[in-house]
Amino acid sequence: MKLTPLNGNSQQLDGGAMFGNAPRALWSRYLTPDALNRIPLACRCLLVETAGRRILLETGIGAFFAPELRERYGVVEAGHVLLDELAALGLSDADIDVVVISHLHFDHAGGLLAAWDGGPARLLFPNANYVVGREAWQRALNPHPRDRASFIPDMLTLLQASGRVLEVDGKVPDCLPANWRFHFSDGHTPGMLLTEIPTAEGPLVFAADLIPGAPWVHVPITMGYDRYPELLIDEKQALLEGLLAREGGLFFTHDPHLASAKVVRDGKGRFGVEKWNCPGLG
């Protein structure tokens, strides 16, 4: 099995929104804001090559936004960075067999669409099954007013028309390795799917927006975007306890500096991370 982190474009978002209940005096120690109070964020994906299959966990924000919306949402690059990174590996979107999406907010699924060119939206990854949690899929189709703007209606229509959406509610589908497992989280958005991959160094969990980066490993830290912050804290605590006991690690989508890390706890009982030796992710 080969694991390769890939960039899926990057963003600059308001630090107060990303750290929710934490004051700027605290969160600015983690990530330095610019003059507009924005912090740098990755939209990182994970390519897994195993048993003759190429599996992509998420697609990042991509480049589907028109220029004025790209500026509003702080998307840094105009081009589709994920496609460029695949090309550097000698691959294209047509070479991907499965795309696993934790949830369908545009910063995690926007890369499913081709870059904006003024024409209709176009779905990429023509040979892939799209795996998503059943509840997360239903949330995208029937969003709450609070997060309706986080979804891409044209993309959902294209996904439905493809006939290749696999809604899962716990069981790992046949298109993924049988020894993978799923965790589900409702704190950020209902039905978010967290994929756990076994590695020789321990289990690796694609943490999505439950723990978007190393600073959010600190249990009380949540985002202003989270639907149910107290539930998210409980879910985070449980996941971290489990990974600590199994000497596991986290893969971060939004951390601008760190792709993955091993879960640790200090003498005061506070969770943190340290570098680990997972090949390709250290």
Side-chain angles (χ1 to χ4, degrees), residues 53-232:
R53 284 172 286 187
R54 296 187 181 100
I55 303 164
L56 186 64
L57 276 65
E58 302 211 336
T59 61
I61 196 169
F64 74 94
F65 277 131
E68 64 274 14
L69 290 176
R70 187 172 72 239
E71 182 176 355
R72 177 186 300 176
Y73 290 106
V75 183
V76 176
E77 306 90 356
H80 201 310
V81 173
L82 176 59
L83 297 187
D84 294 339
E85 297 231 331
L86 286 171
L89 299 175
L91 302 173
S92 75
D93 61 296
D95 295 310
I96 303 301
D97 300 298
V98 187
V99 180
V100 182
I101 303 294
S102 67
H103 62 300
L104 289 149
H105 289 172
F106 60 70
D107 57 327
H108 294 258
L112 289 171
L113 298 177
W116 181 84
D117 61 4
R122 180 169 60 86
L123 191 63
L124 299 173
F125 305 96
N127 300 313
N129 288 314
Y130 307 104
V131 175
V132 64
R134 189 181 307 278
E135 190 174 2
W137 175 250
Q138 293 303 317
R139 175 73 169 203
L141 296 178
N142 303 283
H144 188 275
R146 186 172 181 213
D147 66 350
R148 181 174 289 120
S150 296
F151 299 105
I152 313 167
D154 288 347
M155 184 186 73
L156 298 174
T157 300
L158 291 170
L159 285 171
Q160 286 179 305
S162 77
R164 289 179 279 118
V165 174
L166 301 181
E167 302 172 54
V168 298
D169 52 14
K171 182 180 178 181
V172 175
D174 292 340
C175 61
L176 295 176
N179 62 349
W180 289 23
R181 64 176 290 199
F182 294 136
H183 303 264
F184 289 89
S185 168
D186 296 318
H188 176 68
T189 188
M192 188 168 66
L193 185 70
L194 309 180
T195 303
E196 180 179 312
I197 302 169
T199 77
E201 289 70 30
L204 174 71
V205 172
F206 192 99
D209 277 345
L210 178 63
I211 308 175
W216 291 268
V217 170
H218 186 38
V219 171
I221 300 294
T222 64
M223 296 188 289
Y225 302 111
D226 297 328
R227 299 288 77 81
Y228 309 108
E230 291 186 3
L231 174 60
L232 184 141

Side-chain angles (χ1 to χ4, degrees), residues 199-269:
T199 77
E201 289 70 30
L204 174 71
V205 172
F206 192 99
D209 277 345
L210 178 63
I211 308 175
W216 291 268
V217 170
H218 186 38
V219 171
I221 300 294
T222 64
M223 296 188 289
Y225 302 111
D226 297 328
R227 299 288 77 81
Y228 309 108
E230 291 186 3
L231 174 60
L232 184 141
I233 287 172
D234 293 341
E235 293 172 336
K236 187 196 307 189
Q237 178 85 29
L239 179 67
L240 291 171
E241 292 278 4
L243 286 175
L244 182 69
R246 295 185 290 146
E247 298 185 344
L250 298 164
F251 185 90
F252 299 126
T253 56
H254 290 312
D255 195 299
H257 308 300
L258 192 62
S260 71
K262 182 178 180 179
V263 176
V264 297
R265 183 155 51 189
D266 65 20
K268 297 181 178 180

